[in-house]
Amino acid sequence: MPIRTDLDSLDMAFQEKAAALLGRLREDPVWRQHGYKPMVTETRRDLAVQMAYYSRSRMNPADVRLMFEAAGLWRISESEARIPSTWTLKSKHLTGRAMDLAPSKDGYTPDWGAPEEVWRRVGHYAGELGLKWGGDWSTTPDRPHVEMI
């Protein structure tokens, strides 16, 4: 299974905080007003998946496609292969100390274009739980990303 979305695969300390974050977002009035529920899009990551993500924009698109195929990921288009999706080979996803989540109206489809106020609630609750939110990163914000400090 190339992309994991289960909380059980996470580090135990992070697992509890991740569950608490999802619970708070389910009850959040801003999320509810917009009709959103939190959807986990990725938890613990295999090294092959991390390497495939890292290859985007760093290798020619044909080689990126081979990396994605070898990792058991989706068929990536040439234009997708040119867009970076990670800046490190040492992601906290590899140790189960990070997850990605998104607002979803149906529980199956992430809404990457959700209003900023919805995304800011992720950062608010992550901070309350002692977590780091990728949306606060100054150089390259990553709004779906939450990790242990």
Side-chain angles (χ1 to χ4, degrees):
M1 175 162 62
I3 295 179
R4 294 186 187 117
T5 59
D6 62 304
L7 297 188
D8 291 342
S9 70
L10 296 172
D11 174 87
M12 288 296 281
F14 184 57
Q15 203 176 106
E16 292 176 25
K17 291 184 179 211
L21 173 61
L22 296 171
R24 290 180 186 188
L25 290 171
R26 280 187 206 99
E27 299 302 319
D28 181 73
V30 173
W31 277 57
R32 292 178 86 139
Q33 173 190 350
H34 287 279
Y36 287 121
K37 298 173 238 174
M39 174 187 171
V40 176
T41 59
E42 192 164 20
T43 55
R44 184 182 290 265
R45 198 177 281 164
D46 293 329
L47 181 58
V49 171
Q50 186 69 28
M51 291 174 69
Y53 291 168
Y54 187 79
S55 74
R56 291 176 71 171
S57 82
R58 290 179 173 84
M59 298 172 73
N60 72 58
D63 289 339
V64 173
R65 285 191 194 129
L66 290 173
M67 294 286 287
F68 268 62
E69 183 180 332
L73 295 169
W74 67 93
R75 295 179 131 251
I76 191 168
S77 71
E78 184 171 330
S79 60
E80 285 178 302
R82 295 180 189 282
I83 300 169
S85 62
T86 187
W87 295 263
T88 184
L89 286 173
K90 296 180 181 179
S91 171
K92 289 191 178 182
H93 282 282
L94 294 169
T95 58
R97 297 173 63 85
M99 77 171 176
D100 294 333
L101 62 90
S104 176
K105 297 219 176 194
D106 62 9
Y108 302 101
T109 310
D111 182 358
W112 303 117
E116 186 64 28
E117 69 177 327
V118 170
W119 286 106
R120 291 240 160 257
R121 303 305 290 161
V122 176
H124 170 77
Y125 292 120
E128 282 187 355
L129 293 163
L131 301 172
K132 186 186 295 183
W133 177 50
D136 286 334
W137 295 344
S138 60
T139 53
T140 311
D142 186 358
R143 296 184 306 181
H145 186 87
V146 178
E147 68 181 33
M148 293 287 286
I149 294 177

